[in-house]
Amino acid sequence: MTAAPRRRSFRVLATLLVLLASAPPAGATVRVSWQPAQPRAGDVVVMRVRGVPAGATVDAMLDGHPIALFPTADGHAGLFGIDMDAPAGAQPWEVTVRDGHAVASTTGDLPVVARSYTVQHLTVARSMVELDPATERRAVDEIERLRLTYRAISGERLWRGRWVRPVAGEAPGTGFGSRRVINGQPRAPHSGIDFAAPVGTPVVAANRGRVALVGEFFFPGRLVILDHGLGLYTVYFHLDTIAVAPGQLVARGETLGTVGMTGRVTGPHLHFGAQVGATRIDPAVLLGLADD
Ligand SMILES: [Zn+2]
């Protein structure tokens, strides 16, 4: 009865000795930085890990969620989304480097700043707010399909370099996070930005990616969703026409379709959104990211 615990404690002691003997080189030189260093809710954050010894593996966690890292010119980087409704506060992070038998962790806190949003009052056709049971079911099923799409994390990073506006022009997209009151009733907050443009204006891919979903849904209208890899998606709603097919690999700037007014809209525009897994981020932040 006493042999097993004793053997186990010997194994634990042996493991500790190995760790103590070889731990310092693995973690001593690892440096972790964040951009931005004090993200707001809705931001996409770039984590950079430098000083990982050649041949070592590195894992990163933020607030209990793994961050998919990819190699860069001077180390590793990963993207993490801070949800638009994330509360203010410190989110703990941990980077673990494994080099042979040596395991070393570096930890810290990422301070997140809350964000306040405007309230937007909209008036649309009654049929777009007071749904009959069949339409209600359809809308719920479609939201679930979107959720399932964002949940799939492909392991390959497809995006490269800078992100581009999905429609030509200079005016910034509007309305991220606004609390929506539609026909007098509070509704889900606006999780993307809107670009007003005439019907027929070309809509292009913000970066390289694979077409994850094409459809005609009740609220989003005709839509395209691009999978950029590592859990990062961009979404294009209310299209008039669609020029791509599911599974197709598209280049940055390649035409996806044209601006329309399908789904629940008050006029022709592109709704442009971005997700990191289940997290809704501000797509305008992607447009401001530096090259990698
Ligand atoms: Zn919108």
Side-chain angles (χ1 to χ4, degrees), residues 190 194 269 271:
H190 189 235
D194 292 333
H269 73 278
H271 170 102

Side-chain angles (χ1 to χ4, degrees), residues 127-166:
S127 61
M128 281 290 172
V129 181
E130 291 155 34
L131 309 186
D132 60 77
T135 309
E136 178 83 46
R137 265 198 307 280
R138 175 186 166 188
V140 168
D141 285 352
E142 289 171 346
I143 288 166
E144 188 55 27
R145 271 190 76 190
L146 293 178
R147 246 187 232 135
L148 287 173
T149 301
Y150 304 140
R151 205 174 291 161
I153 297 178
S154 28
E156 188 194 355
R157 178 170 77 115
L158 296 175
W159 84 88
R160 287 289 182 275
R162 293 199 82 83
W163 293 75
V164 297
R165 281 171 62 103

Side-chain angles (χ1 to χ4, degrees), residues 85-125:
D85 282 331
Q91 297 200 355
W93 57 263
E94 179 168 18
V95 170
T96 305
V97 174
R98 289 182 178 78
D99 191 6
H101 291 291
V103 181
S105 288
T106 310
T107 59
D109 287 311
L110 180 69
V112 172
V113 181
R115 197 165 154 177
S116 59
Y117 300 106
T118 55
V119 178
Q120 199 177 14
H121 292 268
L122 299 173
T123 306
V124 300

Side-chain angles (χ1 to χ4, degrees), residues 48-248:
R48 287 175 201 284
V49 184
R50 295 187 180 94
V52 176
T57 61
V58 56
D59 292 301
M61 302 276 281
L62 176 64
D63 205 26
H65 302 282
I67 300 181
L69 295 174
F70 53 87
T72 61
D74 62 347
H76 296 77
L79 281 191
F80 192 88
I82 309 285
D83 193 74
M84 59 190 283
D85 282 331
Q91 297 200 355
W93 57 263
E94 179 168 18
V95 170
T96 305
V97 174
R98 289 182 178 78
D99 191 6
H101 291 291
V103 181
S105 288
T106 310
T107 59
D109 287 311
L110 180 69
V112 172
V113 181
R115 197 165 154 177
S116 59
Y117 300 106
T118 55
V119 178
Q120 199 177 14
H121 292 268
L122 299 173
T123 306
V124 300
R126 262 181 73 171
S127 61
M128 281 290 172
V129 181
E130 291 155 34
L131 309 186
D132 60 77
T135 309
E136 178 83 46
R137 265 198 307 280
R138 175 186 166 188
V140 168
D141 285 352
E142 289 171 346
I143 288 166
E144 188 55 27
R145 271 190 76 190
L146 293 178
R147 246 187 232 135
L148 287 173
T149 301
Y150 304 140
R151 205 174 291 161
I153 297 178
S154 28
E156 188 194 355
R157 178 170 77 115
L158 296 175
W159 84 88
R160 287 289 182 275
R162 293 199 82 83
W163 293 75
V164 297
R165 281 171 62 103
V167 287
E170 296 296 324
T174 58
F176 180 73
S178 62
R179 310 289 112 167
R180 289 201 146 168
V181 181
I182 300 179
N183 295 8
Q185 299 173 34
R187 295 284 155 172
H190 189 235
S191 59
I193 52 179
D194 292 333
F195 292 99
V199 171
T201 304
V203 172
V204 303
N207 209 317
R208 186 165 172 265
R210 195 175 297 283
V211 178
L213 187 68
V214 160
E216 182 157 9
F217 285 8
F218 185 73
F219 289 125
R222 289 198 191 103
L223 65 91
V224 171
I225 295 179
L226 291 187
D227 176 2
H228 301 286
L230 306 183
L232 180 58
Y233 290 86
T234 52
V235 313
Y236 308 81
F237 287 174
H238 312 307
L239 301 176
D240 187 49
T241 60
I242 292 175
V244 291
Q248 191 178 330

